[in-house]
């Protein structure tokens, strides 16, 4: 708007303003025309300002919406990450429990085998003792 006022002022300054050729009424009419032009320029500038304010408000609303949407997406992603971590911990716990069960069953099997060897060894020892006792003279 300031640029238009400067251009209008420059155009007015180039008009011949001699007192002999211009009457008071013509100067008044020119001044009124210039004032009208300035008023139109001011109205156009105000309309442009209002339009820019509306655009700025719309951009702020869009920015707010995008920020809220971004926060929601980040929250969802964090939830998924935490869910994955919880699932990973659960899988690890299940693997440990399965391994414990396998180790327990293997230890039970080893104990059963050792008990079988112990019984067999005791039976062999008893048999050897009996045979030795029977061979020895009394």
């Amino acid at each position: 708007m300031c640029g238009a006022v400067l251009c209008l002022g420059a155009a007015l300054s180039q008009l011949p303003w001699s007192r002999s050729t211009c009457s008071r009424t013509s100067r008044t009419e020119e001044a009124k025309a210039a004032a009208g032009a300035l008023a139109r320029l001011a109205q156009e500038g105000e309309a442009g300002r209002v339009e820019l304010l509306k655009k700025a408000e719309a951009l702020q609303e869009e920015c707010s919406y995008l920020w809220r949407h971004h926060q929601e997406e980040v929250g969802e992603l964090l939830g998924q990450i935490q869910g994955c971590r919880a699932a990973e911990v659960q899988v690890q716990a299940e693997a440990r429990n399965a391994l414990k069960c396998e180790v327990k069953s293997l230890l039970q099997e080893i104990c059963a085998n050792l008990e079988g060897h112990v019984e067999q060894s005791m039976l062999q020892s008893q048999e050897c003792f009996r045979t030795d006792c029977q061979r020895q003279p009394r």
Side-chain angles (χ1 to χ4, degrees):
M1 183 167 110
C2 291
V5 171
L6 291 175
C7 288
L8 183 61
L12 288 176
S13 67
Q14 292 177 357
L15 292 175
W17 288 98
S18 72
R19 290 188 184 175
S20 63
T21 58
C22 289
S23 68
R24 183 179 175 113
T25 57
S26 66
R27 284 186 287 178
T28 303
E29 290 174 9
E30 290 174 0
K32 286 181 182 179
L38 285 175
R40 281 191 303 276
L41 287 174
Q43 287 176 347
E44 290 174 7
E46 181 62 21
R49 186 183 73 79
V50 169
E51 184 179 334
L52 287 175
L53 285 175
K54 286 180 182 178
K55 287 181 180 180
E57 185 178 341
L59 287 173
Q60 285 176 340
E61 289 174 4
E62 183 179 359
C63 184
S64 296
Y65 168 77
L66 290 173
W67 178 254
R68 284 190 307 272
H69 186 68
H70 169 74
Q71 292 295 10
E72 290 172 4
E73 286 180 347
V74 167
E76 290 173 6
L77 289 173
L78 287 175
Q80 290 176 0
I81 289 170
Q82 290 172 350
C84 288
R85 286 184 183 160
E88 183 180 340
V89 167
Q90 183 179 0
V91 166
Q92 288 175 350
E94 289 174 359
R96 273 194 304 271
N97 289 339
L99 184 61
K100 285 179 185 178
C101 289
E102 288 178 26
V103 168
K104 184 178 178 180
S105 66
L106 287 173
L107 288 174
Q108 288 173 342
E109 185 179 329
I110 290 170
C111 285
N113 285 339
L114 287 175
E115 286 177 6
H117 288 300
V118 166
E119 285 181 22
Q120 186 179 8
S121 180
M122 284 180 65
L123 288 175
Q124 285 176 352
S125 296
Q126 287 175 355
E127 185 65 32
C128 286
F129 182 73
R130 277 190 214 136
T131 55
D132 283 345
C133 285
Q134 288 174 358
R135 285 188 191 162
Q136 290 180 358
R138 296 189 181 177

